[in-house]
Amino acid sequence: MTDDGHGARAGVRAGIVATGSELLTGRITDRNGPWVAERLGELGVEVSHLLLVGDRGEDMAAALRFLASDGVDLVVTTGGLGPTADDLTAEVVATATGRPLELDEHMEKVVGDIIAKFADRLRWDADALAAANRKQAMVPHGATPISPAGTAPGLAVPPHPERGGPTILVLPGPPRELGAMWEDALATEPVREVLARTSPYTETHLRLFGVPESEIAATLRDVGERTDLAPLEITTCLRDFALEVDLRHAPGSGKAAAARDAVVEEIDRRHGRAVFSRTGQTIDELLFDLLDGQVIATAESCTGGLLAGRLTAPAGASAHVAGGVVSYSNDAKADLLGVPRELIEAHGAVSPQVAEAMADGALARFGATVAVAVTGVAGPGGGTDAKPVGYVCFCVRTADGRTIARDPVLPGSRGDIRERSVVLAMHLVRRVLTGE
Amino acid sequence: MTDDGHGARAGVRAGIVATGSELLTGRITDRNGPWVAERLGELGVEVSHLLLVGDRGEDMAAALRFLASDGVDLVVTTGGLGPTADDLTAEVVATATGRPLELDEHMEKVVGDIIAKFADRLRWDADALAAANRKQAMVPHGATPISPAGTAPGLAVPPHPERGGPTILVLPGPPRELGAMWEDALATEPVREVLARTSPYTETHLRLFGVPESEIAATLRDVGERTDLAPLEITTCLRDFALEVDLRHAPGSGKAAAARDAVVEEIDRRHGRAVFSRTGQTIDELLFDLLDGQVIATAESCTGGLLAGRLTAPAGASAHVAGGVVSYSNDAKADLLGVPRELIEAHGAVSPQVAEAMADGALARFGATVAVAVTGVAGPGGGTDAKPVGYVCFCVRTADGRTIARDPVLPGSRGDIRERSVVLAMHLVRRVLTGE
């Protein structure tokens, strides 16, 4: 992670508060905070703190006080907007911004109509329903309600009328509702006022595969010795075994653009072959496009179906995925993929020869135009000196005879080795299809 | 989420600070915070706040001040312990606790030996190495260093000698290092002093499948009308499509034990068939045990290999997983699983009849003792009135002829439907094998 942070304090800063006691047990991982952070980043807003707090009014209030004292311009809260007693966000935000709660009659009707549909499921009686309805239609004085995607309205609350402080955007906890309400939330007057003070960054997204982060760090250090990189914010981050290098800067800065060009040029010069995307496209998206007009089949041993699972994840995958065989046992390799038993005996189930035969079998059995085979030692047991844990054999072959084969030793745990094998296999398919 | 929180403030409270600017871009999801939270929960420590902050000294210091003012007894920090300039945690913690940094000569040698091994990879010269070495061996006065699992030592730092405040446990960011150092960290004097003031909760873990959260909520409300549930902390949470009901209370309370018994009894009475675990065991762990001595094969369409991928996730899965076929196309269903083409034409690829034929095919082709077949409309396209998006047909069949078949309409997105189908399939296998 490289983040020079120069000048970053000048822009609009935000804090995020995700509420929900379940987030503090460690059982549930908060998805809203990272999602909101990524959206805010795209808008040119810098997130300085992300807080997870339980469903306790005093903890939420403390979090809001902390962010106000830290001087953020915007706070986004998620969760705690439901109809029950432990849903406290609106009340806490009303108190924090000195804006008494008032019944919003339009919202009362909107919420009433929605709750009526859920009434049977909630098994509430009429009084409880009316109370829940009223509770969810209470809006801090001067705030803008945001129509619900589920049952709970959101709120865009301007700063405290005397003390000032951050604008607070209050959104529900279910990720689907949060996502559905986001655009409406950005369009509210209080949020628009904050966003008017920012300008989206100019961004460049490079994606590299097969280069260690340390090499990119060395490249960046070398460029930095010749060129002033201060006006540029450089983030390198390893995600899904690919190295993401993101460069961003305030729009219109000639110095920043020159610094960006110097970095991109040097990365291209040293690591050009490893750059697989310049648009931020993921390997999944790239491969989906490349497979247009192809028919792909998989033959998996150590990855156990994860590669096929990933190829079939996008909607529309059935247009190019025929299927696959998970040949976990030797019998399955022979019976379902036609791998000769003597080949397995001669070279072992984990061998370049067997990977090749698996790819041939998948091509033939599925009538595919391209097949990808993976067989390896995922561990933790089963390793030998010659074929240690992490030794994985790949073969990608097209019906017209193009082949790429690899047999690296991959690092990490059993899960890492399986996941990394899936990603490596996808990149090998990409290379066969692009001829790179 | 139900969390009555009664009396919870009495025990030892902790805050967690995860550092790393990459956590605030939304690109990387923090795994350390939830992991530490779960570990602390097991020790009877209540986590009140989890903060993610960037690699900026002032932001980290603000987070520590906030937690100190909130009165927590323990702060656990993760990350920011590396050798480079943006690794600031030790310095910030030293300032916050009023404990000047001092060189620990023993740790200097430990770190030096480790760094020497990495020197080539890091491409540093001798001076940079010595500086990094010294930096990582600096320990706040009176703190206990924790030997590194990677390159960075941890620190257990007692409260500020005059002002008091929390004990701070400083751990590295890489999850593997964090996990490897956890037991040593708990054994340090400053952490032991904090933990001596707590006692692990008495916990009961129920796991249910196929009951909506709202029904459990209604059951809990009804029990609460007859029995005082105040001494009990009840958490219900949906994870991996199973409902987790966790009951915990301070040890030795008769009232709490009676409340717990009342809750368990009523859940058993109303939802007993849905309870699949009373030990906290996951469906994966349960199924792994149940499959001992069996040979399982999968036949997947809409789940695209995810079910096989999950069955092969645990080490040792090869003892009972033969393999599977991902028959995404109709040809694959016919050619690789022997599903009669006329059956597909008559009933459609998504039909109970085809699911049954897929299971039969998997049993035969893999010589399995139990086979599980899944075919469905994952969407977002492809739905009809008769077979809408989410309609999924399951068939589990054993070689000796026991069968369970289901064809529900599952809610959610394409991804949800696929994941939910995997979990439902695993539960159906469990039911066939246990005869429930």
Side-chain angles (χ1 to χ4, degrees), chain B residues 22-113:
Chain B
E22 69 277 18
L23 303 176
L24 295 173
T25 64
R27 298 238 179 76
I28 295 288
T29 299
D30 171 50
R31 287 159 54 194
N32 291 335
W35 188 87
V36 170
E38 202 160 3
R39 295 295 81 69
L40 290 176
E42 291 163 359
L43 295 165
V45 175
E46 185 210 345
V47 177
S48 62
H49 294 275
L50 200 170
L51 288 84
L52 311 187
V53 302
D55 297 311
R56 283 206 187 83
E58 55 189 301
D59 289 351
M60 254 184 272
L64 293 180
R65 275 196 306 274
F66 166 60
L67 291 172
S69 74
D70 196 55
V72 301
D73 307 282
L74 175 69
V75 173
V76 180
T77 74
T78 68
L81 284 183
T84 60
D86 64 352
D87 292 310
L88 295 161
T89 308
E91 197 183 316
V92 170
V93 170
T95 305
T97 53
R99 297 175 174 274
L101 286 170
E102 298 165 347
L103 183 68
D104 183 300
E105 291 184 3
H106 171 66
M107 218 25 83
E108 187 182 25
K109 179 158 168 24
V110 171
V111 175
D113 290 349

Side-chain angles (χ1 to χ4, degrees), chain B residues 86-380:
Chain B
D86 64 352
D87 292 310
L88 295 161
T89 308
E91 197 183 316
V92 170
V93 170
T95 305
T97 53
R99 297 175 174 274
L101 286 170
E102 298 165 347
L103 183 68
D104 183 300
E105 291 184 3
H106 171 66
M107 218 25 83
E108 187 182 25
K109 179 158 168 24
V110 171
V111 175
D113 290 349
I114 293 169
I115 290 190
K117 289 191 212 153
F118 285 83
D120 286 347
R121 191 168 70 79
L122 293 174
R123 295 184 176 184
W124 283 347
D125 58 20
D127 284 354
L129 272 179
N133 187 344
R134 258 193 315 276
K135 176 176 181 301
Q136 294 193 291
M138 297 300 285
V139 172
H141 178 76
T144 309
I146 302 160
S147 287
T151 61
L155 298 167
V157 188
H160 193 289
E162 287 124 42
R163 289 202 307 267
T167 294
I168 306 185
L169 174 59
V170 177
L171 291 169
R176 195 189 58 77
E177 294 181 27
L178 173 63
M181 290 162 71
W182 183 249
E183 289 301 324
D184 282 356
L186 297 186
T188 58
E189 189 56 34
V191 176
R192 276 199 294 146
E193 269 175 30
V194 175
L195 294 180
R197 309 204 298 270
T198 180
S199 45
Y201 296 110
T202 300
E203 299 192 316
T204 307
H205 308 279
L206 300 179
R207 300 290 177 261
L208 295 86
F209 184 74
V211 179
E213 192 166 10
S214 55
E215 289 203 20
I216 295 294
T219 301
L220 292 174
R221 271 197 303 275
D222 293 351
V223 179
E225 280 170 19
R226 299 192 306 265
T227 312
D228 178 16
L229 298 183
L232 202 58
E233 189 182 318
I234 305 175
T235 318
T236 67
C237 134
L238 203 62
R239 179 157 60 167
D240 195 32
F241 307 106
L243 195 61
E244 306 192 346
V245 181
D246 290 307
L247 313 170
R248 60 187 201 178
H249 60 84
S253 156
K255 261 188 80 177
R260 180 202 57 207
D261 291 347
V263 169
V264 172
E265 202 169 288
E266 192 62 17
I267 287 179
D268 272 338
R269 202 177 66 77
R270 295 196 194 182
H271 318 287
R273 276 209 69 211
V275 178
F276 67 88
S277 165
R278 291 165 190 280
T279 58
Q281 238 191 350
T282 63
I283 180 62
D284 304 72
E285 291 162 347
L286 259 169
L287 205 51
F288 188 90
D289 291 348
L290 284 171
L291 284 169
D292 187 29
Q294 302 280 344
V295 177
I296 190 167
T298 58
E300 301 180 65
S301 187
C302 64
T303 49
L306 296 178
L307 175 56
R310 190 141 159 188
L311 292 175
T312 54
S318 59
H320 57 249
V321 179
V325 168
V326 180
S327 54
Y328 220 58
S329 65
N330 288 349
D331 282 346
K333 289 180 184 71
D335 298 343
L336 280 113
L337 289 169
V339 177
R341 287 178 198 273
E342 52 277 17
L343 200 71
I344 299 176
E345 273 156 38
H347 303 283
V350 178
S351 60
Q353 292 85 350
V354 167
E356 188 181 3
M358 287 168 67
D360 284 337
L363 274 179
R365 303 272 164 126
F366 288 94
T369 62
V370 57
V372 46
V374 189
T375 178
V377 187

Side-chain angles (χ1 to χ4, degrees), chain A residues 154-416:
Chain A
L155 298 168
V157 188
H160 194 288
E162 287 125 41
R163 290 202 308 268
T167 294
I168 305 184
L169 173 59
V170 177
L171 291 170
R176 197 190 58 77
E177 295 180 28
L178 172 64
M181 290 163 70
W182 183 250
E183 289 301 322
D184 282 357
L186 296 186
T188 58
E189 191 54 35
V191 176
R192 276 198 294 147
E193 271 176 29
V194 175
L195 293 181
R197 308 203 299 269
T198 180
S199 45
Y201 296 110
T202 300
E203 298 193 316
T204 306
H205 307 280
L206 301 179
R207 301 289 177 263
L208 295 87
F209 184 75
V211 180
E213 194 166 9
S214 56
E215 289 203 18
I216 295 295
T219 301
L220 292 174
R221 270 198 304 275
D222 292 351
V223 179
E225 281 171 16
R226 298 192 306 266
T227 311
D228 178 15
L229 298 183
L232 204 58
E233 191 182 315
I234 305 175
T235 319
T236 66
C237 132
L238 204 62
R239 179 155 63 167
D240 195 32
F241 307 106
L243 195 60
E244 306 192 346
V245 181
D246 290 307
L247 313 170
R248 61 188 200 177
H249 59 83
S253 157
K255 261 189 79 176
R260 180 203 56 207
D261 292 347
V263 169
V264 172
E265 202 169 289
E266 192 62 17
I267 287 179
D268 272 338
R269 202 177 67 76
R270 296 197 195 183
H271 319 287
R273 276 210 70 211
V275 178
F276 67 89
S277 165
R278 291 164 192 282
T279 59
Q281 240 192 348
T282 63
I283 180 64
D284 304 72
E285 291 161 347
L286 260 170
L287 206 50
F288 188 89
D289 292 347
L290 284 172
L291 285 168
D292 187 30
Q294 302 280 345
V295 177
I296 190 167
T298 58
E300 302 180 65
S301 186
C302 62
T303 50
L306 295 179
L307 175 56
R310 190 140 159 191
L311 292 175
T312 55
S318 57
H320 56 249
V321 179
V325 168
V326 180
S327 53
Y328 221 59
S329 64
N330 287 350
D331 282 346
K333 289 181 185 70
D335 298 341
L336 280 113
L337 290 169
V339 177
R341 287 178 199 274
E342 51 277 18
L343 202 70
I344 300 175
E345 271 157 37
H347 303 283
V350 177
S351 61
Q353 292 85 350
V354 166
E356 189 180 3
M358 287 168 67
D360 285 338
L363 273 179
R365 303 273 164 124
F366 287 94
T369 62
V370 56
V372 45
V374 190
T375 177
V377 186
T384 63
D385 281 352
K387 296 178 181 176
V389 169
Y391 178 65
V392 184
C393 302
F394 298 84
C395 182
V396 181
R397 180 163 281 182
T398 63
D400 59 10
R402 284 168 292 152
T403 304
I404 291 185
R406 294 281 186 282
D407 64 335
V409 178
L410 303 176
S413 66
R414 176 179 175 87
D416 289 338

